Amino acid sequence: MQVPVVVIVTHRANTALAPEEMRALLERAGPAYTAIPGLRRKYFLHGDGVAGGVYEWDTRAQAEAFYDEAWFAAMTERAGARPDVVYFSSPAIADGVAHRLELYLPR
């Protein structure tokens, strides 16, 4: 049983985006994330002066392959600063919608 990997990425962001601008940005960028090998889910984040994502991956190797130097260079150019990327293992996921707990640890 593979323990999922969660990666939290944060970077500077333009907080002046109107809701319709944010929607247009997500409609352009979002679909590309549905075809990335090993990416289970991405939550897009936006707050005061910061944006990013919470990514759920099948494996750390797949996540590390995605966050390569080309990705860092593109994100640094877009955001004006190198993003922060933090890796976590996720031994359990509590799903409040489905009312279930998924454990990824051996018995």
Side-chain angles (χ1 to χ4, degrees):
M1 180 178 314
Q2 188 76 30
V3 175
V5 172
V6 173
V7 179
I8 299 176
V9 174
T10 57
H11 58 84
R12 289 191 302 203
N14 178 357
T15 58
L17 290 178
E20 59 274 7
E21 292 172 306
M22 178 63 73
R23 181 177 187 91
L25 174 69
L26 293 172
E27 286 175 343
R28 279 192 317 272
Y33 289 93
T34 65
I36 297 170
L39 181 62
R40 294 179 179 191
R41 182 173 287 116
K42 177 185 179 183
Y43 292 88
F44 291 85
L45 306 177
H46 191 262
D48 280 340
V50 66
V54 175
Y55 299 75
E56 181 185 342
W57 295 92
D58 287 334
T59 69
R60 183 171 178 130
Q62 289 167 319
E64 288 176 343
F66 181 76
Y67 307 113
D68 61 10
E69 282 308 313
W71 179 87
F72 274 103
M75 289 300 296
T76 299
E77 183 173 324
R78 195 173 317 144
R82 189 173 173 91
D84 292 316
V85 177
V86 182
Y87 293 83
F88 299 88
S89 63
S90 182
I93 298 173
D95 185 333
V97 175
H99 303 286
R100 84 173 170 248
L101 176 67
E102 297 175 29
L103 294 172
Y104 297 96
L105 298 170
R107 292 195 176 266

